Amino acid sequence: MIEQFAKEELENVAQKIEKEGISKDIRKRLAELGLLAATLPQSENGSGIDRRSFSLVLMTIAKYSASVAYFTYLQNTLVNEILSKAQKRKEEIIKIASGESTGTLVHDLNLNFPQEVYIKGYELYGSNSFVILPDADLHLVLARSESPSYLIMANPVKIEKKKPLGFRAISFGVASYKQTIEEDRIILKDADSLLKSHFFDTSDQIAAIALGMSESAVEKAIEYSKERKAFESYLYEFQPISAVLTDMKGRIEEMKKALMLSEVVQDRILLKLNALELSRLASRVALQIHGGYGYLEDLGVERYYRDSMFLTMLSSNYIKDIKTVSKEIISPDAFKI
Amino acid sequence: MIEQFAKEELENVAQKIEKEGISKDIRKRLAELGLLAATLPQSENGSGIDRRSFSLVLMTIAKYSASVAYFTYLQNTLVNEILSKAQKRKEEIIKIASGESTGTLVHDLNLNFPQEVYIKGYELYGSNSFVILPDADLHLVLARSESPSYLIMANPVKIEKKKPLGFRAISFGVASYKQTIEEDRIILKDADSLLKSHFFDTSDQIAAIALGMSESAVEKAIEYSKERKAFESYLYEFQPISAVLTDMKGRIEEMKKALMLSEVVQDRILLKLNALELSRLASRVALQIHGGYGYLEDLGVERYYRDSMFLTMLSSNYIKDIKTVSKEIISPDAFKI
Amino acid sequence: MSDLSFELPQEVEETRKRARDFALREFTNELIEHFDETEEYPNEIRKKVFDAGFITIENPWNMLVTMEEFCRVDPGIGLSTLASVFGSEILLLYGTDEQKEKYLYPTLKGEKISAVAVTEPGAGSDVAGISSRIEKTEKGWMLNGHKMFITNGTVADHYYLLARSAPPPSKEKRHHGLTLAIVERRWNGVNPVKLKGKLGMRATDTAEITFENVAVPNENIVGEEGKGFYIIMTFFNISRVYVAAQSVGTAQGILDLLLEYLAEKPASFREMEYVQFALAEISALIEAARNITYKAATKVFSFNPDPALTSMAKYYAAEIANQVANTAFKIVGIEASGSKLEKLYRDAKITEIWEGTSEIEKLVISRMILKKIQEVK
Amino acid sequence: MSDLSFELPQEVEETRKRARDFALREFTNELIEHFDETEEYPNEIRKKVFDAGFITIENPWNMLVTMEEFCRVDPGIGLSTLASVFGSEILLLYGTDEQKEKYLYPTLKGEKISAVAVTEPGAGSDVAGISSRIEKTEKGWMLNGHKMFITNGTVADHYYLLARSAPPPSKEKRHHGLTLAIVERRWNGVNPVKLKGKLGMRATDTAEITFENVAVPNENIVGEEGKGFYIIMTFFNISRVYVAAQSVGTAQGILDLLLEYLAEKPASFREMEYVQFALAEISALIEAARNITYKAATKVFSFNPDPALTSMAKYYAAEIANQVANTAFKIVGIEASGSKLEKLYRDAKITEIWEGTSEIEKLVISRMILKKIQEVK
């Protein structure tokens, strides 16, 4: 069903979505399919989809529109993982789950150096320069204070959009805050470590998006290799081309299987890193096979090249990720020097 | 149980086995554990172990002695896959399954160019320079003729052993044949394609051995990184060292999962290639971390370096393997030029 | 003690310095963003580059290091300005005095812009596979065809164009019967259309051009009729060295940005061994790419080209530029967002594609090696 | 038009040719196998190498290309014979006339064999971490310690040995207080034990050596007391260039073997694009490794060493040698079994380990880069 939705409603408009953004119609369709509060139990207005199936959903959507897949991931993160766990703000959950409004999470956990959003008393101030979907209706903002950190429902005083490298259907930019917040807008305390473990835990969902993108890039390349001739032979007849495509296919299949069985968080993080790397490689190969045409946006191939790197930047920090796993599987003192 | 056997009966003598070969005692123990006719149904004197479990067995043994794992694989290939499928020579099956005698398969399927073993009428002649276990009691020889190829039970007139790069517990070398064979020593007709599909189909077993070796190499390296200091810190504290070890661990875990779900033959072939590559990389990393000590045979680390390449050479031909899969998943005309 | 020297002549090093200063001063972030955004051709900067004397083919080393230093700051503007004389070596080597007078010298004076029109929709790297036709008429020649991805396509005054003048004598001799002609953009029947939406190098002008019954006078044929393939291959041997320099410059630019990033952050960050290893690896790769590029250039610039070496330089340097971009991102991550690093990542990819894809380069290299085997036998 | 030149002087190229001919003639397959099998030191071949005039430090380029060409045929015998003067640069640069007379000149005449004894069981790449002690006595010095992986350890007449003569003044200055001494193998208390069972390079002599109350006369101290670390680092800057050449030679040897294999097989096999691409990639990598090695050598041999460049050469060339071996195996597969390719695969690995592991090289490179950041700030 998701396959059908993605194929029929996203495939042909994928390029248009990139230009015009994810429309309310698409959000509504995602909502109808129960994908905006996917893993939330039905009792809490969710769809009760199990985690593994949700990963497959993301992978399928990513094959047709990586932007829509990432958007879906982001909305679910807010709704399923954060708002619902915080046992708060039922009305916001419903709004996002229904596609009525959009939400975003403003944090600096994948950055090498913290962004300056602080809370002092009830005063929230500062800005973050790397916000995905800064024009979302709902901002959940990780704010640092002297002791713990807080996740706060806030409204930016100013946003400044920048053209992102990838996921151009989704806005990106700077969001600045300056407001006095009410008590009930504090969603989580000690939000830093809770968010971190959330991100680590959902690493497999990012891996799923990366794999969907990889698969799609490779399939496009195979298709093209069957249409395009050079030196009077089809591209796929050339050994190095079929070898690299076959190799990619194999690695995708391998990681898809690993995705199904990755229960431990360290495995998920490493799978994410590997899948992201694969997606960058697959997009580079696909672009290369398309030659000059691949370098033009018309064929929709260069998009994979940008999206795969942008997804990497958005959802992983190699040093932090590998450090986290090293400490777990080698020694708490690992990765020190 | 297998873990216990491997740990107790192989770990401490692994280096000794490399020097002295796989003794009859070890064969007997493997037989007692039902590992020499592992996947053969009990009705045919086998142990009836399912395929997936057998892969795990090979992986476990390979962690302690790659030579013994490969030997086990080889004996099973003969007994389970070939002799039993050919519905012939029950007494040979029993002998090998019991560890009483050893068998080998003499073929050229992983070579770029065929070896010269021919059959003309009932005359078998020629030689093969790349035979594993040429001093086996039983030789199953792939002999080419004008039309189909045959698998023949033969006795070499001469063998010449060479020191192999890896698996030094197992002999390796040239075997020459010159004999008139009896009708009933022809095991298979059109053996070429049957053996090919056998090797492709059991690619996951080779992957399992490669993964066992990788795991063991990485674990040895982690252990050493916790004992050895440089610049007054333990090696594992250095970021590049913990990063590479963590990365390897992740890839091993990933492939282990893929191994469990690889049902399609193409997936198995590609998994084999990836696992072999990983084993070479892991052994190189492990040796590097051990530094000069790694370069000496005493620590048993350089062995992984040799064994991983030797296993690669024995059980895959990159060009042939990738071509086979390319033709299957891209087009019958793929990988042509 | 040795003839070996890895030092460029002082004059060239001075040009390098001047080029770097020029690029840092003139290729402002604002302009870089502007041309990346609008995909306009940076004609004003081109003129400045001319006036500053960077475009000269007297000592090609000067152009080479300028290419490197310009691309280090911005490959889009950098290449775009320097490539305004694209193809000049063709006339220099094969042109008649009249052709030089009419086309080459005005170009080298900055009065005209040239382009090379070889690639076609159906024939990218496979030069011999082009299907544009140039046929003899009573008065001269008639051109019909379709060219693709032509750099400077809509801004050039004239193209050095390859078309088929006779059918290939055999399957093995597909590269026979191609003829090179100078075709002016403003002639009747020439219709260039700007291609927009490139991943990177958006300051370069790229066009699709159709030619419909274009009359080409006899005097505009370059070299011998039917021998255009060789002329173009000779030219590629030169132009590929410049693409290698583009790659080296881009890679160096990425390292510059990474070092800038690190310099702004607390020392503890850059002292992490993981970061140090990445810096070491990147530096070694750039060093290797630069040496091989210069070595190929010494051959080409002394009229003794080594096609295998040139192809190694082109393919290896392109590979390195892309690899280095990936490594830099692994460290900087999302903080590179909106930065020049992002742009160089997009720009770098073209180096594996134009002037012969990496695949073509590898075939050139291996054919030279296999020839040796053949000779030995 | 340019000072740049990638051509070695004719004299050096002649030496290279002589070295190649010598190696092809003298390093027979039989001998290669013999020394690989027995792990003996090839002393007879060493003498021949001497007699043929290959061991000379007058023009170090001659030694460098000889190293390359010897290792191309067999790294074990090749390095082992050339390294019989290992450490000579130490005396050349820091030795007294008496030390030169007694140790250096006889070594350079082939009458003695030298070795460098730095590495210890507990301190490989971490030179400052060594714990052998050399202490002043009434008459001279007393040495106690334990050295490991010493090339020529059981065949050398004397060692250039580093030991601690004073405790480090602080944690940051661990490299202070180390002293370099010439120690003869036959002195009382010196006990070298040959290490057998190496993965490759089995024609080289490798030893573990214990020193028990070894009396060292005053005149055997090299350079200033306590400054041994600097002497050794200066020496490594030289010796690493030779290891880079070893790697380049090994890599080239692997390519030779691959080409030999291909030449013997039907042309259709080597004309497969997959094989062609592999050849192209291998050739480009070797070209890159050789250039960087020669560039580092131009610096070192003109007494203007660039440690970052030397480390790049050492690490990059080693990386390439190992990578190239892997690629070659991918093509030849099991048919390489028992061939020299197998042996070169085993030999190649050491280049990433000795004379500073690849990890150490990377730290040297990045420290130089980070220094620049520091200076700019």
Side-chain angles (χ1 to χ4, degrees), chain A residues 15-51:
Chain A
Q15 291 278 68
K16 193 168 161 263
I17 294 174
E18 286 306 293
K19 287 225 168 72
E20 296 172 8
I22 298 167
S23 66
K24 196 160 183 181
D25 282 354
I26 294 175
R27 269 153 47 199
K28 286 281 176 202
R29 286 291 292 136
L30 291 170
E32 279 166 33
L33 291 160
L35 300 182
L36 293 180
T39 59
L40 203 61
Q42 290 179 331
S43 59
E44 296 176 41
N45 302 309
S47 314
I49 297 175
D50 67 273
R51 275 195 53 124

Side-chain angles (χ1 to χ4, degrees), chain D residues 297-317:
Chain D
T298 58
K299 298 277 185 187
V300 170
F301 294 165
S302 61
F303 304 102
N304 180 26
D306 176 342
L309 197 60
T310 303
S311 288
M312 280 181 196
K314 159 75 171 71
Y315 129 69
Y316 184 78

Side-chain angles (χ1 to χ4, degrees), chain D residues 86-112:
Chain D
F86 200 43
S88 291
E89 292 87 351
I90 293 173
L91 284 198
L92 195 72
L93 296 172
Y94 299 97
T96 62
D97 288 347
E98 293 70 27
Q99 289 169 345
K100 288 180 186 168
E101 200 62 50
K102 186 165 180 193
Y103 297 106
L104 179 62
Y105 302 144
T107 305
L108 294 178
K109 278 187 223 149
E111 295 159 9
K112 287 192 171 173

Side-chain angles (χ1 to χ4, degrees), chain C residues 247-311:
Chain C
S247 302
V248 171
T250 305
Q252 182 69 51
I254 292 166
L255 176 57
D256 291 346
L257 293 171
L258 178 58
L259 289 174
E260 254 173 50
Y261 175 84
L262 293 175
E264 283 165 11
K265 306 294 172 187
S268 61
F269 186 74
R270 60 180 174 269
E271 278 159 11
M272 293 199 303
E273 275 214 352
Y274 186 86
V275 173
Q276 293 199 42
F277 271 44
L279 285 178
E281 288 161 15
I282 289 175
S283 313
L285 293 175
I286 295 175
E287 177 65 39
R290 184 177 284 121
N291 289 335
I292 204 167
T293 300
Y294 288 179
K295 184 167 175 183
T298 58
K299 298 277 184 185
V300 170
F301 294 164
S302 61
F303 304 101
N304 180 28
D306 177 341
L309 197 60
T310 303
S311 289

Side-chain angles (χ1 to χ4, degrees), chain B residues 111-113 130 165 172 228 231-232 280 284 287-288 292-293 295 297 302 305-306 313 318 337, chain D residues 121 126 149 171 197-200 261 265 273-274 322 326 331 334-335 337 345-346 349 352 359:
Chain B
L111 274 63
N112 291 320
F113 298 95
F130 307 104
L165 176 62
F172 183 78
R228 175 79 182 183
F231 301 99
E232 300 182 323
R280 297 196 302 278
R284 183 173 164 191
L287 200 162
Q288 186 68 17
Y293 289 97
Y295 207 66
E297 70 184 14
E302 56 89 45
Y305 195 69
R306 293 184 288 98
M313 293 158 73
Y318 189 81
I337 303 165
Chain D
D126 176 15
F149 304 125
K171 223 185 153 177
K198 294 202 296 289
L199 169 62
Y261 175 83
K265 305 295 174 186
E273 273 211 353
Y274 186 85
N322 284 280
N326 256 287
I331 291 170
I334 188 73
E335 290 177 47
S337 193
Y345 171 71
R346 290 187 283 110
K349 188 70 194 76
E352 296 188 307
E359 291 74 18

Side-chain angles (χ1 to χ4, degrees), chain B residues 128-147:
Chain B
N128 184 317
S129 306
F130 307 104
V131 178
I132 185 88
L133 203 59
D135 52 359
D137 304 304
L138 176 73
H139 281 223
L140 297 185
V141 182
L142 176 66
R144 302 186 178 276
S145 75
E146 270 170 27
S147 56

Side-chain angles (χ1 to χ4, degrees), chain C residues 14 33 37 59 69-71 108 130 178 240 261 312:
Chain C
E14 277 161 18
E33 272 170 38
E37 183 77 28
N59 181 351
E69 294 303 326
F70 277 16
C71 292
L108 294 180
I130 60 170
L178 299 171
R240 282 172 184 168
Y261 175 84
M312 279 181 196

Side-chain angles (χ1 to χ4, degrees), chain B residues 65-110:
Chain B
S65 168
S67 291
V68 172
Y70 188 83
F71 175 82
T72 306
Y73 163 80
L74 180 63
Q75 300 312 300
N76 274 275
T77 283
L78 263 77
V79 169
N80 305 342
E81 305 281 342
I82 295 164
L83 289 177
S84 76
K85 273 183 191 149
Q87 293 288 339
K88 282 193 178 181
R89 317 294 311 197
K90 287 237 166 61
E91 65 278 28
E92 274 82 7
I93 295 185
I94 293 169
K95 273 192 193 163
I96 292 178
S98 66
E100 196 55 48
S101 64
T102 56
T104 190
L105 197 58
V106 180
H107 68 94
D108 55 12
L109 297 171
N110 286 326

